[in-house]
Amino acid sequence: MHMLKYFFAAAVALAGASEVRAAPNLILNGTFASPNVGSGWSIFTNGGVPGWNSNNNETEIDYQLVVMPTFYLGISGQSMELNGNQPDTISQTVNGLTSGAQYTLSWGYGDRPGGGGPYEAQVYFGGSLVTTDYGTDSGLWTSNSFVVTANASSETLSFAGVEAGSSPSYGNEIADVSLTGVPEPASLALLGAGLAGIGLFRRRRA
């Protein structure tokens, strides 16, 4: 009977873990797949790229291999360039947040080669600076992941190109933007209890 209890606890915990892994991305069009630019690139005015708007009324979407030697994480896709014709600030208002809750914010940063860097891109969430990405014509992708806290049910996420002495029409590629909920401590404790139950169940069977 005790073994069944442990097994049940483990099943519940693992189900909870599955829900955590499947947490929805709260960013609309975070992969910049829409609109599809085929194997090229294009600049769109505000309203042309679902979810995103620019302070300069221009958002450049690129097929990644047009501007970078490789795909981000090796997966075919599109990216957003912050220096379309000038350093742009491109933002999205994220709704459905829980005030006081923590979220994992992640994205890929592309240091576009051949633009005569350096490049600089600042990332803001809810008006607070999260980090600054720097590029020097390396042609490399880097992954970013930070835990941020929502102070309201809606927050603005912004990627801001900064004039850093480079050619203004090159650089600062952003890919695969994601914002997902951080598991609550109770869920993590349940997962630990479930895994412990599985271990005890296996030992007793042995």
Side-chain angles (χ1 to χ4, degrees):
M1 185 67 175
H2 289 295
M3 287 187 291
L4 289 176
K5 288 182 179 179
Y6 281 120
F7 184 76
F8 178 74
V12 172
L14 290 176
S18 177
E19 290 176 4
V20 170
R21 287 194 297 271
N25 184 5
L26 299 175
I27 301 298
L28 175 63
N29 196 24
T31 62
F32 307 107
S34 179
N36 189 330
V37 296
S39 58
W41 63 277
S42 189
I43 294 178
F44 301 89
T45 57
N46 286 346
V49 180
W52 302 95
N53 284 295
S54 167
N55 65 320
N56 292 319
N57 196 31
E58 59 175 28
T59 300
E60 179 174 330
I61 301 298
D62 303 324
Y63 178 64
Q64 290 175 16
L65 292 190
V66 170
V67 292
M68 295 290 290
T70 61
F71 290 116
Y72 178 57
L73 301 180
I75 302 172
S76 176
Q78 299 186 167
S79 55
M80 171 179 72
E81 183 167 322
L82 295 179
N83 293 34
N85 287 308
Q86 58 194 314
D88 303 304
T89 297
I90 300 176
S91 306
Q92 178 170 149
T93 298
V94 186
N95 299 309
L97 303 174
T98 300
S99 182
Q102 291 186 317
Y103 297 84
T104 299
L105 172 64
S106 62
W107 69 95
Y109 175 73
D111 179 4
R112 177 175 176 174
Y119 311 120
E120 186 174 334
Q122 296 177 338
V123 183
Y124 292 86
F125 182 79
S128 298
L129 180 65
V130 176
T131 193
T132 302
D133 283 317
Y134 297 94
T136 56
D137 277 348
S138 72
L140 298 177
W141 290 103
T142 56
S143 296
N144 294 263
S145 184
F146 293 85
V147 173
V148 297
T149 301
N151 294 313
S153 59
S154 295
E155 296 282 20
T156 299
L157 171 65
S158 298
F159 294 90
V162 178
E163 180 59 62
S166 62
S167 174
S169 62
Y170 292 93
N172 289 326
E173 293 290 325
I174 306 297
D176 200 17
V177 183
S178 175
L179 184 73
T180 57
V182 173
E184 296 181 359
S187 298
L188 294 177
L190 180 60
L191 174 59
L195 293 176
I198 289 176
L200 181 57
F201 178 71
R202 287 178 176 171
R203 285 197 299 272
R204 289 192 175 183
R205 286 197 53 152

